[in-house]
Amino acid sequence: QVQLVESGGGLVQAGGSLRLSCAASGRTFSTFSKYNMGWFRQAPGKEREFVASISWSGGTTYYVDSVKGRFTNSRDNAKNTVYLQKNSLKPRHTAVYSCAHGAIVYGLGYDRGSDFASWGQGTQVTVSS
């Protein structure tokens, strides 16, 4: 089993910043660096959507168009942790943000739910106007 624990969410005013963290443990302890990691969000009344992901090496990142230039995805494989730096936040960014662990080693998929096999509980991000 892979356990993912997100942190760093909270209430922030529009224009502010937050950095989310996701720490992985369990079965992935020695193999974390071989898996893509992703971030998804779900706003009230909406379906879960892809936000960002990062390749297993950290060399490639992917973003949904609406967050490009605002969010930065990074990882520290020595700490089994991924980060999502969120700048210039807007009320429409309010959602529960969850991290996800890649389904296969050195996977090629990066933006579909089926590309990931384990999910965290999520952390609430609320952006006030």
Side-chain angles (χ1 to χ4, degrees):
Q1 292 286 346
V2 174
Q3 289 80 45
L4 301 173
V5 178
E6 302 94 340
S7 61
L11 175 64
V12 63
Q13 289 187 334
S17 299
L18 284 174
R19 188 175 84 151
L20 306 184
S21 300
C22 171
S25 62
R27 181 176 59 82
T28 193
F29 182 78
S30 61
T31 59
F32 179 78
S33 62
K34 299 179 181 180
Y35 291 89
N36 297 341
M37 294 292 294
W39 289 93
F40 289 74
R41 67 186 174 193
Q42 186 165 20
K46 296 185 177 181
E47 294 186 352
R48 184 179 64 192
E49 66 170 344
F50 168 77
V51 177
S53 62
I54 186 166
S55 64
W56 53 271
S57 67
T60 306
T61 52
Y62 309 91
Y63 302 94
V64 66
D65 286 345
S66 62
V67 306
K68 287 180 180 178
R70 297 179 186 273
F71 292 7
T72 302
N73 201 2
S74 61
R75 67 189 296 162
D76 185 339
N77 285 338
K79 296 182 178 180
N80 286 3
T81 300
V82 293
Y83 305 95
L84 186 66
Q85 178 66 44
K86 306 165 60 176
N87 298 328
S88 301
L89 286 165
K90 296 183 177 298
R92 59 183 172 85
H93 295 135
T94 294
V96 174
Y97 286 74
S98 300
C99 67
H101 186 282
I104 60 174
V105 173
Y106 306 131
L108 298 179
Y110 60 87
D111 65 351
R112 300 174 302 174
S114 59
D115 296 325
F116 301 91
S118 299
W119 300 80
Q121 291 295 316
T123 184
Q124 175 71 46
V125 172
T126 302
V127 184
S128 63
S129 58

